[in-house]
Amino acid sequence: MTVTELLRSKGFRITALRTELLTLLQRSDRALTQAEVEQQLRVDVDRATVFRALNAFEEAGLAHRVLDGSGTSCFAACAGDCDEGHHKDAHAHFHCRKCGSVFCLPSVELPKVKVPRGFRMEQSQLELQGTCKACT
Amino acid sequence: MTVTELLRSKGFRITALRTELLTLLQRSDRALTQAEVEQQLRVDVDRATVFRALNAFEEAGLAHRVLDGSGTSCFAACAGDCDEGHHKDAHAHFHCRKCGSVFCLPSVELPKVKVPRGFRMEQSQLELQGTCKACT
DNA sequence: AGCATTATTGCAACTCAATTGCCTTTACTC
DNA sequence: GAGTAAAGGCAATTGAGTTGCAATAATGCT
C-alpha cells in the first residue's frame, strides 16, 4: 500500500505534512522523537500540528510510540497489521546510550510472562539498552 | 543493613531527608514518582533537593528508576545487590492503566535476548501494562 | 466547477517534570 | 571547635507535551 492509500484507508485527509510524515517514519530504521521529526521534515510546520499528527497515527495504528531512556516519546511506522488502538508490533526496542537512538528489533520477540494473581496484563514492552552498531 | 548504614556505606551524609527518603522507598511496595515522594515525606523539602537525592540514590545503586507509561520517572529501593551505576534488579515492572501505579514484579524474570550483530546490550527492562490487583 | 462540511493547521498560551546556578547551611573529619 | 565538602534552599529556566480557538484547505456532493 502506498502512503496515500494507507492514510486514506484510515480516514485521514491527504495533506503535505501527513504524507511526508508517514513516509519519513517508514523510511527510518529507528524510532524518531518529535523534535527529530520536525528537523527532518522538509515542510515547515507547527509543533502542535506534528504532535496531533503523530498521536493520530498512533491511534489509527499507523505508528507506534516508544519511550526513549529519558522519557521522551519516539515514533516508528508500524509493520502493517496494527489496528485502531491495538498494536501488534510484538518486538523489542534498543536504546543506544551514546547517540540516544531507538531501534526496533523485529527479530527479538517478547516473552510470555505470568503476572501475579489479581493482576491483568494487557500489553508489554521489552526495552534494551547498550551501544548501537554505529557507535561501537 | 539499616538505612543509616546503607547511606554511610555509599559515602552519603546522614540527613533527615535522605534517611526518610530511603526508608520511604524501602517500605513502599511500588515505585513512586518524585511528586508522590514529596507528598509522603514528613519533612518539608525543596523539589530540587528531592531531585538530587533521588538521582544520587540511583547512581549509587540504592534505588532504581522506572519510567511510568507517560514518561515520568518512578523510583523504588533496590533489592540490595546493586552497584554504582550497575543495577542488577532483573525484574519486570507493571504499570496499572487505571491508577497509574508502578509495581515491581520480582517473580517475573527478564528473558535472555540476542541482539543483532554489531549491537552490544548492557541492560534490559520488561514493562507490562494492565490493571492492578486493587483496580480489578 | 462551485459549495458546504469537517478535518487539519497555525498561533498562542499553559502545564508539568526535570534541571541548573548560586549561595547558605550543616554533617563529618581532624 | 574549626575547616571542608556535601547537602539543601531558592529562583529561574528548559523542554516535551497539551489545549482552545480561529483560519485554512481537503473532500464529498450537486
Side-chain angles (χ1 to χ4, degrees):
Chain A
M1 256 205 289
T2 70
V3 164
T4 303
E5 288 169 343
L6 254 179
L7 286 172
R8 218 183 290 273
S9 76
K10 299 294 184 181
F12 292 127
R13 293 187 175 176
I14 309 305
T15 70
L17 168 73
R18 301 204 168 187
T19 311
E20 284 238 22
L21 178 55
L22 188 50
T23 306
L24 174 62
L25 293 180
Q26 285 190 344
R27 292 209 178 132
S28 175
D29 61 340
R30 56 192 195 79
L32 305 172
T33 64
Q34 180 173 337
E36 288 172 329
V37 163
E38 286 165 19
Q39 287 170 359
Q40 297 190 30
L41 280 179
R42 277 170 300 179
V43 275
D44 183 42
V45 275
D46 192 77
R47 297 195 345 272
T49 304
V50 178
F51 169 76
R52 285 187 272 236
L54 287 171
N55 282 333
F57 283 3
E58 188 199 12
E59 220 178 310
L62 291 179
H64 61 273
R65 178 197 302 259
V66 201
L67 293 177
D68 79 351
S70 62
T72 314
S73 290
C74 296
F75 294 86
C78 284
D81 53 353
C82 290
D83 286 339
E84 285 73 24
H86 278 281
H87 291 274
K88 298 167 187 161
D89 298 82
H91 60 259
H93 293 104
F94 187 97
H95 309 270
C96 178
R97 286 215 168 109
K98 288 196 180 166
C99 65
S101 295
V102 177
F103 298 85
C104 295
L105 297 186
S107 61
V108 179
E109 294 229 337
L110 299 193
K112 308 262 183 294
V113 299
K114 262 188 202 153
V115 294
R117 179 183 310 281
F119 288 76
R120 193 177 62 225
M121 193 186 91
E122 293 164 5
Q123 221 179 74
S124 66
Q125 282 102 41
L126 181 58
E127 307 295 328
L128 314 176
Q129 287 93 43
T131 317
C132 78
K133 202 168 179 174
C135 289
T136 306
Chain B
M1 256 206 290
T2 71
V3 164
T4 303
E5 288 169 341
L6 252 180
L7 286 171
R8 219 182 289 274
S9 76
K10 298 294 185 182
F12 291 128
R13 295 186 174 176
I14 309 305
T15 70
L17 168 72
R18 299 204 168 190
T19 311
E20 285 238 20
L21 178 55
L22 188 50
T23 307
L24 174 63
L25 293 181
Q26 285 189 344
R27 291 207 179 134
S28 176
D29 61 339
R30 56 190 195 81
L32 304 172
T33 65
Q34 178 172 338
E36 288 172 328
V37 163
E38 285 165 18
Q39 286 171 358
Q40 297 190 29
L41 279 179
R42 277 170 299 179
V43 277
D44 182 44
V45 276
D46 192 77
R47 299 198 331 277
T49 304
V50 178
F51 169 76
R52 285 187 270 239
L54 287 171
N55 282 333
F57 284 2
E58 188 199 11
E59 220 178 310
L62 291 179
H64 61 272
R65 179 197 302 259
V66 200
L67 293 176
D68 79 349
S70 62
T72 314
S73 289
C74 296
F75 294 86
C78 284
D81 54 353
C82 291
D83 285 341
E84 286 73 21
H86 279 279
H87 292 273
K88 298 166 187 162
D89 298 82
H91 60 259
H93 294 104
F94 188 96
H95 310 269
C96 178
R97 287 214 168 110
K98 288 198 181 164
C99 65
S101 295
V102 177
F103 298 86
C104 296
L105 297 185
S107 61
V108 179
E109 295 230 336
L110 298 194
K112 308 261 184 294
V113 299
K114 260 189 204 154
V115 294
R117 181 184 308 282
F119 287 75
R120 194 177 60 223
M121 194 186 89
E122 293 165 4
Q123 222 179 76
S124 66
Q125 281 104 42
L126 181 59
E127 308 295 327
L128 314 176
Q129 287 93 43
T131 317
C132 78
K133 202 168 180 173
C135 290
T136 308

